[in-house]
Amino acid sequence: MEILKYGNLTLKENSKEIEIFDDQLISFANEMYEKMVTNNGIGLAAPQVGSLIQLIVIDIEDGNGRLDLVNPRITDTSDEVVEGEEGCLSVPGIYAKVMRFAKINVEAQNLVGETFNFQADEFLARVIQHEIDHLNGILFIDRVDEMTKKKFRSDLKKIKKKYNKILA
Ligand code: CO
């Protein structure tokens, strides 16, 4: 399992809803979780490891442990938006401020297909929005203003070149 980097076109694709909840899904999620922890990540979405399915693993190290989200949907958002710094395992070395909803309601399934609902705020809300974006082919750098994007243009080019030899 490899983490795809900026420039890989799979990261721009939409992911498919998961319909089969089997042992294979659980072991895939476990492998993703291990990969994320090994790389000091706090969230990882399946398309980042080349699988276009709606699966996210999160562990923001807040004592609540691991959170697996299958087919997650944001069902409601606060009016309030907040700015905060983000990074991404697929965009190594780049950190930028992104606007996100302060609070979200989420509906998702777990790894055995049970539906659950919860409200998230603060950092967890940010991470979930970042990861759900991955399921829709959106990276956090797609959400920064033009000025910031310009600032990172050469760094992004370098990442593209380094990790995506064919595209370079
Ligand atoms: Co990311």
Coordinates of all heavy atoms in Angstrom, one line a residue, residues 114-160:
E114 N -23.4 -0.7 9.8 CA -24.4 0.0 10.7 C -24.3 1.5 10.5 O -23.2 2.1 10.5 CB -24.1 -0.4 12.1 CG -24.3 -1.8 12.4 CD -23.6 -2.3 13.7 OE1 -22.7 -1.5 14.2 OE2 -23.9 -3.4 14.2
T115 N -25.4 2.1 10.4 CA -25.5 3.6 10.2 C -25.4 4.3 11.6 O -26.0 3.8 12.5 CB -26.8 4.0 9.4 OG1 -26.8 3.4 8.2 CG2 -26.8 5.5 9.2
F116 N -24.6 5.4 11.6 CA -24.6 6.2 12.9 C -24.5 7.6 12.5 O -24.1 8.0 11.4 CB -23.5 5.7 13.8 CG -22.1 5.8 13.3 CD1 -21.3 6.8 13.8 CD2 -21.6 5.0 12.3 CE1 -20.0 6.9 13.3 CE2 -20.3 5.1 11.8 CZ -19.5 6.1 12.3
N117 N -24.9 8.5 13.5 CA -24.9 9.9 13.3 C -24.2 10.5 14.4 O -24.3 10.1 15.6 CB -26.4 10.5 13.3 CG -27.1 10.1 12.0 OD1 -27.0 10.7 11.0 ND2 -27.8 8.9 12.1
F118 N -23.5 11.6 14.2 CA -22.8 12.3 15.3 C -22.6 13.8 14.8 O -22.6 14.1 13.7 CB -21.5 11.6 15.7 CG -20.5 11.6 14.6 CD1 -19.4 12.5 14.6 CD2 -20.6 10.6 13.6 CE1 -18.4 12.4 13.6 CE2 -19.6 10.5 12.6 CZ -18.5 11.4 12.6
Q119 N -22.3 14.6 15.8 CA -21.9 16.0 15.6 C -20.4 16.1 15.9 O -19.9 15.5 16.8 CB -22.7 16.9 16.5 CG -22.5 18.4 16.0 CD -23.4 19.3 16.8 OE1 -23.1 19.5 18.0 NE2 -24.4 19.9 16.2
A120 N -19.7 16.8 15.0 CA -18.3 17.1 15.2 C -18.0 18.6 15.2 O -18.7 19.3 14.4 CB -17.4 16.4 14.2
D121 N -17.1 19.0 16.0 CA -16.7 20.4 16.0 C -15.2 20.5 16.1 O -14.5 19.5 16.1 CB -17.4 21.3 17.0 CG -17.1 20.8 18.4 OD1 -16.3 19.9 18.6 OD2 -17.8 21.3 19.4
E122 N -14.7 21.7 16.1 CA -13.3 22.0 16.3 C -12.4 21.2 15.3 O -12.7 21.1 14.1 CB -12.8 21.8 17.7 CG -13.6 22.7 18.6 CD -13.2 22.7 20.1 OE1 -12.3 21.8 20.4 OE2 -13.7 23.5 20.9
F123 N -11.3 20.6 15.8 CA -10.4 19.9 14.9 C -10.9 18.7 14.2 O -10.7 18.5 13.0 CB -9.1 19.6 15.7 CG -8.0 19.2 14.8 CD1 -7.5 20.0 13.8 CD2 -7.3 17.9 15.0 CE1 -6.4 19.7 13.0 CE2 -6.3 17.6 14.2 CZ -5.8 18.4 13.2
L124 N -11.8 18.0 14.9 CA -12.3 16.8 14.3 C -13.2 17.1 13.1 O -13.2 16.5 12.0 CB -13.2 15.9 15.3 CG -13.8 14.7 14.8 CD1 -12.7 13.7 14.2 CD2 -14.6 14.0 15.9
A125 N -14.0 18.2 13.2 CA -14.8 18.7 12.1 C -14.0 19.0 10.9 O -14.3 18.7 9.8 CB -15.7 19.9 12.6
R126 N -12.9 19.7 11.2 CA -12.0 20.0 10.1 C -11.4 18.8 9.4 O -11.4 18.7 8.2 CB -10.8 20.9 10.7 CG -9.7 21.2 9.7 CD -8.7 22.2 10.3 NE -9.5 23.5 10.6 CZ -9.8 24.4 9.7 NH1 -9.4 24.3 8.4 NH2 -10.4 25.5 10.0
V127 N -10.9 17.8 10.2 CA -10.3 16.6 9.6 C -11.4 15.9 8.8 O -11.1 15.4 7.7 CB -9.7 15.7 10.7 CG1 -9.2 14.4 10.1 CG2 -8.6 16.4 11.4
I128 N -12.6 15.7 9.3 CA -13.6 15.0 8.5 C -13.9 15.7 7.2 O -14.0 15.1 6.2 CB -14.9 14.9 9.4 CG1 -14.7 13.9 10.6 CG2 -16.1 14.4 8.5 CD1 -15.8 13.9 11.6
Q129 N -14.0 17.0 7.2 CA -14.3 17.8 6.0 C -13.1 17.6 5.0 O -13.3 17.4 3.8 CB -14.5 19.3 6.3 CG -15.8 19.5 7.0 CD -16.0 21.0 7.5 OE1 -16.3 21.8 6.7 NE2 -15.7 21.2 8.8
H130 N -11.9 17.6 5.5 CA -10.7 17.4 4.7 C -10.8 16.0 4.0 O -10.6 15.9 2.8 CB -9.5 17.6 5.5 CG -8.2 17.3 4.8 ND1 -7.2 18.2 4.6 CD2 -7.7 16.1 4.3 CE1 -6.2 17.6 4.0 NE2 -6.4 16.4 3.8
E131 N -11.1 15.0 4.8 CA -11.1 13.6 4.3 C -12.3 13.4 3.3 O -12.1 12.7 2.3 CB -11.1 12.6 5.5 CG -9.9 12.7 6.4 CD -8.6 12.6 5.7 OE1 -8.5 12.0 4.6 OE2 -7.6 13.2 6.2
I132 N -13.4 13.9 3.6 CA -14.6 13.8 2.7 C -14.3 14.5 1.4 O -14.6 13.9 0.3 CB -15.9 14.3 3.4 CG1 -16.3 13.3 4.5 CG2 -17.0 14.4 2.3 CD1 -17.6 13.7 5.2
D133 N -13.6 15.6 1.4 CA -13.1 16.2 0.2 C -12.3 15.2 -0.7 O -12.5 15.2 -1.9 CB -12.2 17.4 0.5 CG -13.0 18.7 0.6 OD1 -14.2 18.7 0.3 OD2 -12.4 19.7 0.9
H134 N -11.5 14.4 0.0 CA -10.7 13.4 -0.8 C -11.6 12.4 -1.6 O -11.3 12.0 -2.7 CB -9.8 12.5 0.1 CG -8.5 13.2 0.5 ND1 -7.6 13.5 -0.5 CD2 -8.0 13.6 1.7 CE1 -6.5 14.1 0.1 NE2 -6.7 14.1 1.4
L135 N -12.8 12.1 -1.0 CA -13.7 11.2 -1.6 C -14.4 11.8 -2.8 O -14.9 11.2 -3.7 CB -14.8 10.7 -0.6 CG -14.3 10.1 0.7 CD1 -15.5 9.6 1.5 CD2 -13.4 8.9 0.4
N136 N -14.3 13.2 -2.9 CA -14.8 13.9 -4.0 C -13.7 14.5 -4.9 O -14.0 15.4 -5.7 CB -15.7 15.0 -3.5 CG -16.9 14.5 -2.8 OD1 -17.6 13.6 -3.2 ND2 -17.2 15.0 -1.6
G137 N -12.5 14.0 -4.8 CA -11.4 14.4 -5.7 C -10.9 15.8 -5.4 O -10.3 16.4 -6.3
I138 N -11.1 16.3 -4.2 CA -10.7 17.6 -3.8 C -9.5 17.6 -2.8 O -9.7 16.8 -1.8 CB -11.9 18.4 -3.2 CG1 -13.0 18.6 -4.3 CG2 -11.4 19.8 -2.8 CD1 -14.3 19.0 -3.7
L139 N -8.5 18.3 -3.0 CA -7.4 18.4 -2.1 C -7.5 19.8 -1.3 O -8.1 20.7 -1.9 CB -6.0 18.3 -2.8 CG -5.7 17.0 -3.5 CD1 -4.4 17.2 -4.3 CD2 -5.7 15.9 -2.5
F140 N -6.9 19.9 -0.1 CA -7.0 21.1 0.6 C -6.4 22.3 -0.1 O -6.9 23.4 0.0 CB -6.4 21.0 2.0 CG -4.9 21.0 2.1 CD1 -4.3 22.2 2.5 CD2 -4.1 20.0 1.7 CE1 -2.9 22.2 2.6 CE2 -2.7 20.0 1.8 CZ -2.1 21.1 2.2
I141 N -5.4 22.0 -1.0 CA -4.8 23.1 -1.7 C -5.7 23.6 -2.8 O -5.5 24.7 -3.4 CB -3.4 22.7 -2.3 CG1 -3.5 21.3 -2.9 CG2 -2.3 22.8 -1.3 CD1 -2.4 21.0 -3.9
D142 N -6.8 22.9 -3.1 CA -7.8 23.4 -4.1 C -8.7 24.4 -3.4 O -9.5 25.1 -4.1 CB -8.7 22.2 -4.6 CG -7.9 21.2 -5.3 OD1 -6.9 21.6 -6.0 OD2 -8.2 20.0 -5.2
R143 N -8.6 24.5 -2.1 CA -9.5 25.4 -1.3 C -8.8 26.6 -0.8 O -9.4 27.4 -0.1 CB -10.1 24.6 -0.1 CG -11.1 23.5 -0.6 CD -12.0 23.2 0.6 NE -13.0 22.1 0.2 CZ -14.1 22.3 -0.4 NH1 -14.5 23.6 -0.7 NH2 -14.9 21.3 -0.6
V144 N -7.5 26.8 -1.1 CA -6.8 28.0 -0.7 C -7.0 29.1 -1.7 O -7.3 28.9 -2.9 CB -5.3 27.8 -0.4 CG1 -5.2 26.7 0.7 CG2 -4.6 27.4 -1.6
D145 N -6.8 30.4 -1.3 CA -7.0 31.5 -2.2 C -5.8 31.5 -3.2 O -4.8 30.9 -3.1 CB -7.1 32.8 -1.5 CG -5.8 33.0 -0.6 OD1 -4.8 33.3 -1.1 OD2 -6.0 32.9 0.7
E146 N -6.0 32.2 -4.3 CA -5.1 32.3 -5.4 C -3.7 32.7 -5.0 O -2.7 32.2 -5.5 CB -5.6 33.2 -6.5 CG -6.6 32.5 -7.4 CD -6.2 31.2 -8.0 OE1 -5.1 31.1 -8.6 OE2 -7.0 30.2 -7.9
M147 N -3.6 33.7 -4.1 CA -2.3 34.2 -3.6 C -1.5 33.1 -2.9 O -0.3 32.9 -3.2 CB -2.6 35.3 -2.5 CG -2.9 36.6 -3.1 SD -1.4 37.6 -3.3 CE -1.1 38.0 -1.5
T148 N -2.2 32.3 -2.1 CA -1.5 31.2 -1.4 C -1.1 30.1 -2.4 O 0.0 29.6 -2.3 CB -2.5 30.6 -0.3 OG1 -3.0 31.7 0.5 CG2 -1.7 29.6 0.6
K149 N -2.0 29.9 -3.3 CA -1.7 28.8 -4.3 C -0.4 29.2 -5.1 O 0.4 28.4 -5.3 CB -2.9 28.7 -5.2 CG -3.1 27.3 -5.7 CD -4.3 27.1 -6.5 CE -4.9 25.7 -6.3 NZ -6.2 25.6 -6.9
K150 N -0.3 30.5 -5.4 CA 0.8 31.0 -6.2 C 2.1 30.7 -5.4 O 3.1 30.3 -5.9 CB 0.7 32.5 -6.4 CG 0.7 32.8 -7.9 CD 0.5 34.3 -8.1 CE -0.1 34.5 -9.5 NZ -0.7 35.8 -9.7
K151 N 2.0 31.0 -4.1 CA 3.1 30.8 -3.2 C 3.7 29.4 -3.2 O 4.9 29.2 -3.1 CB 2.7 31.2 -1.8 CG 3.8 31.7 -0.9 CD 3.2 32.1 0.5 CE 3.1 31.0 1.4 NZ 2.4 31.4 2.7
F152 N 2.7 28.5 -3.3 CA 3.1 27.0 -3.3 C 3.4 26.4 -4.7 O 3.7 25.3 -4.8 CB 2.0 26.2 -2.6 CG 2.0 26.5 -1.1 CD1 0.8 26.9 -0.5 CD2 3.1 26.4 -0.3 CE1 0.7 27.1 0.9 CE2 3.0 26.6 1.1 CZ 1.8 27.0 1.6
R153 N 3.2 27.2 -5.7 CA 3.2 26.7 -7.0 C 4.5 25.9 -7.3 O 4.5 24.8 -7.9 CB 3.0 27.8 -8.1 CG 2.5 27.2 -9.4 CD 1.8 28.2 -10.2 NE 2.7 29.3 -10.5 CZ 2.2 30.5 -11.0 NH1 1.0 30.6 -11.4 NH2 3.1 31.5 -11.2
S154 N 5.7 26.4 -7.0 CA 6.9 25.7 -7.3 C 7.1 24.5 -6.4 O 7.6 23.4 -6.9 CB 8.1 26.7 -7.2 OG 8.4 26.9 -5.9
D155 N 6.7 24.6 -5.2 CA 6.7 23.4 -4.3 C 5.8 22.3 -4.8 O 6.2 21.1 -4.8 CB 6.3 23.7 -2.9 CG 7.3 24.6 -2.2 OD1 8.5 24.5 -2.5 OD2 6.9 25.5 -1.4
L156 N 4.7 22.6 -5.3 CA 3.7 21.7 -5.8 C 4.3 21.0 -7.1 O 4.2 19.8 -7.3 CB 2.4 22.3 -6.1 CG 1.5 22.7 -4.9 CD1 0.3 23.5 -5.3 CD2 1.1 21.5 -4.1
K157 N 4.9 21.8 -7.9 CA 5.6 21.3 -9.1 C 6.6 20.3 -8.7 O 6.7 19.2 -9.4 CB 6.2 22.5 -9.9 CG 5.8 22.5 -11.3 CD 6.5 23.7 -12.0 CE 5.6 24.2 -13.1 NZ 6.1 25.5 -13.6
K158 N 7.4 20.6 -7.7 CA 8.4 19.6 -7.3 C 7.9 18.3 -6.8 O 8.4 17.3 -7.1 CB 9.2 20.3 -6.1 CG 10.4 21.2 -6.6 CD 11.1 21.8 -5.4 CE 11.7 23.1 -5.8 NZ 11.9 24.0 -4.7
I159 N 6.8 18.4 -6.0 CA 6.1 17.2 -5.6 C 5.7 16.3 -6.8 O 5.9 15.1 -6.9 CB 4.9 17.5 -4.7 CG1 5.4 18.2 -3.4 CG2 4.1 16.2 -4.3 CD1 4.2 18.7 -2.5
K160 N 5.0 17.0 -7.7 CA 4.5 16.4 -8.9 C 5.7 15.6 -9.6 O 5.5 14.5 -10.0 CB 4.0 17.4 -9.9 CG 2.7 17.1 -10.5 CD 2.2 18.2 -11.4 CE 0.7 18.1 -11.7 NZ 0.2 19.2 -12.3

